[in-house]
Amino acid sequence: MMGLPSCREVTLRLSTEYALAGSRRRAWAIRLHLWMCRSCRRYESYLAWMGRNLSVAVAAAAPRLSSVQRERIREALRGAMR
Amino acid sequence: MDESRQLRLQPDQWLDEHGDVLYRYALARAGRADVAQDLVQETLLAAWQGRDRFQGKASERSWLLGICRHKALDHLRRAGRDVMRDNAAGAVDDAETAYFTDKGAWRQPPAAWSTDPLSEAEAEAFLQALQQCLSALPEAQRDGFSLHSLEGLEPAQVSSALNISVNHFYVLLHRARLALRRCLQQRWFGREGAS
């Protein structure tokens, strides 16, 4: 794909698109690369899937402080702050 | 610091609002629930003792996470464990050669994910695989990815908590995403390189 950004550059841009705004021409070149490259389209889908689903799915199973642990911490803090 | 800001700086309130995030961060670092609990306690106490230094430039959560990170690093050093670093943004070139050829093409193209890993039947096993893949990441990548993609912190908050620039955070995030994609493909989908 002569003249178009490489897969390496496209994946980096996909991960940093909100931080590194590029020129309109560059953005167009990346869209064209994605249109032509199935692997990078899959990577883009993976990023989108992660963004949509991962935090919600992980939150349900994520470890949390138990009420006993919270109370222990509260008591220790009160003791130290006296 | 204005009066309303000062009034919010109370360890009880921090514990309610940020305790679980601090606990998960500490648990990922220390690997033990009892140590993680101690680290949360030490973090809140240190924050209260140093509350005058909180300028309100960072969010409370990233400020507390920054303190927790230092506490966790101190703990690991005391325990004689290596404190891995992944600070060299310039090392991204080396890291990415595992995924891309010299010309920037994929070495092992991403395979299609033919099933929904979060379907009711699959979710638990998938999340276990994800945890294993997260554990295998270098600490800085894992911290950056977890705080942003799992805990929902904004890039500026993560970079403040980890004491790195926002651009460096994006490099870590990019590397973590590449590594997780490959790891999940190998551990979960088992179809590395398939089209």
Side-chain angles (χ1 to χ4, degrees), chain A residues 7-8 11-12 15-16 19 38-40 42-43 46-47 49-50 53 55 63-65 69-70 74 76 81, chain B residues 12 15-16 20 23-24 37 41 93 96 100 104 106 109-110 112-113 117 145 149 170 174 177 181 195:
Chain A
C7 298
R8 179 178 183 158
T11 57
L12 178 62
S15 262
T16 59
R38 183 174 60 178
S39 297
C40 285
R42 284 179 178 166
Y43 191 76
Y46 152 75
L47 292 182
W49 180 86
M50 299 267 271
N53 299 309
S55 62
R64 291 179 169 77
L65 283 166
Q69 286 176 308
R70 278 180 194 277
R74 270 189 225 287
M81 289 164 62
Chain B
D12 266 6
L15 182 61
D16 290 338
D20 286 334
Y23 179 67
R24 284 192 286 275
Q37 178 190 319
Q41 182 179 310
D93 289 343
E96 289 181 21
F100 300 101
W106 288 97
W113 289 5
F145 179 86
S149 302
Y170 273 108
H174 173 54
R177 285 167 164 171
R181 164 86 206 194
S195 59

Side-chain angles (χ1 to χ4, degrees), chain B residues 24-31 39 68-77 79-88 132-148 150 158 161-164 168-169 171-173 175-176 179-180:
Chain B
R24 284 192 286 275
Y25 180 81
L27 189 59
R29 279 300 180 98
L39 289 172
C68 190
R69 174 173 163 269
H70 284 292
K71 295 291 177 191
L73 289 173
D74 286 346
H75 164 77
L76 293 174
R77 287 192 190 101
R81 282 167 55 182
D82 285 341
V83 178
M84 292 177 61
R85 299 182 71 82
D86 189 1
N87 282 339
Q132 289 170 341
C133 290
L134 275 172
S135 300
L137 291 177
E139 287 178 5
Q141 289 181 35
R142 187 177 65 219
D143 287 353
F145 179 86
S146 298
L147 292 177
H148 175 66
L150 305 183
V158 179
L162 301 182
N163 197 25
I164 57 177
H168 187 179
F169 158 71
V171 169
L172 292 175
L173 182 66
R175 292 163 70 172
L180 281 177

Side-chain angles (χ1 to χ4, degrees), chain B residues 87-101:
Chain B
N87 282 339
V92 69
D93 289 343
D94 292 337
E96 289 181 21
T97 55
Y99 305 99
F100 300 101
T101 66

Side-chain angles (χ1 to χ4, degrees), chain B residues 6-190:
Chain B
Q6 183 76 47
L7 288 172
R8 293 196 63 211
L9 296 176
Q10 294 299 327
D12 266 6
Q13 191 172 352
W14 292 334
L15 182 61
D16 290 338
E17 292 183 10
H18 311 297
D20 286 334
V21 174
L22 293 170
Y23 179 67
R24 284 192 286 275
Y25 180 81
L27 189 59
R29 279 300 180 98
R32 282 175 42 187
D34 57 335
V35 175
Q37 178 190 319
D38 287 347
L39 289 172
V40 173
Q41 182 179 310
E42 289 175 25
T43 296
L44 296 179
L45 187 57
W48 183 74
Q49 288 167 339
R51 61 195 181 282
D52 291 340
R53 291 194 292 276
F54 179 56
Q55 302 293 319
K57 289 177 183 169
S59 71
E60 269 181 7
R61 180 164 290 189
S62 53
W63 177 60
L64 292 169
L65 280 165
I67 296 171
C68 190
R69 174 173 163 269
H70 284 292
K71 295 291 177 191
L73 289 173
D74 286 346
H75 164 77
L76 293 174
R77 287 192 190 101
R78 284 197 304 271
R81 282 167 55 182
D82 285 341
V83 178
M84 292 177 61
R85 299 182 71 82
D86 189 1
N87 282 339
V92 69
D93 289 343
D94 292 337
E96 289 181 21
T97 55
Y99 305 99
F100 300 101
T101 66
D102 290 345
K103 293 184 177 177
W106 288 97
R107 287 189 188 279
Q108 295 170 307
W113 289 5
S114 56
T115 58
D116 176 7
L118 294 177
S119 66
E120 202 169 322
E122 312 256 28
E124 188 176 342
F126 175 78
L127 291 174
Q128 280 183 357
L130 176 68
Q131 284 301 331
Q132 289 170 341
C133 290
L134 275 172
S135 300
L137 291 177
E139 287 178 5
Q141 289 181 35
R142 187 177 65 219
D143 287 353
F145 179 86
S146 298
L147 292 177
H148 175 66
S149 302
L150 305 183
E151 301 291 357
L153 270 68
E154 295 296 323
Q157 291 178 303
V158 179
S159 58
S160 172
L162 301 182
N163 197 25
I164 57 177
S165 70
V166 173
N167 280 344
H168 187 179
F169 158 71
Y170 273 108
V171 169
L172 292 175
L173 182 66
H174 173 54
R175 292 163 70 172
R177 285 167 164 171
L178 282 170
L180 281 177
R181 164 86 206 194
R182 172 177 283 187
C183 181
L184 288 172
Q185 204 159 292
Q186 289 170 337
R187 281 183 181 270
W188 179 254
F189 297 95

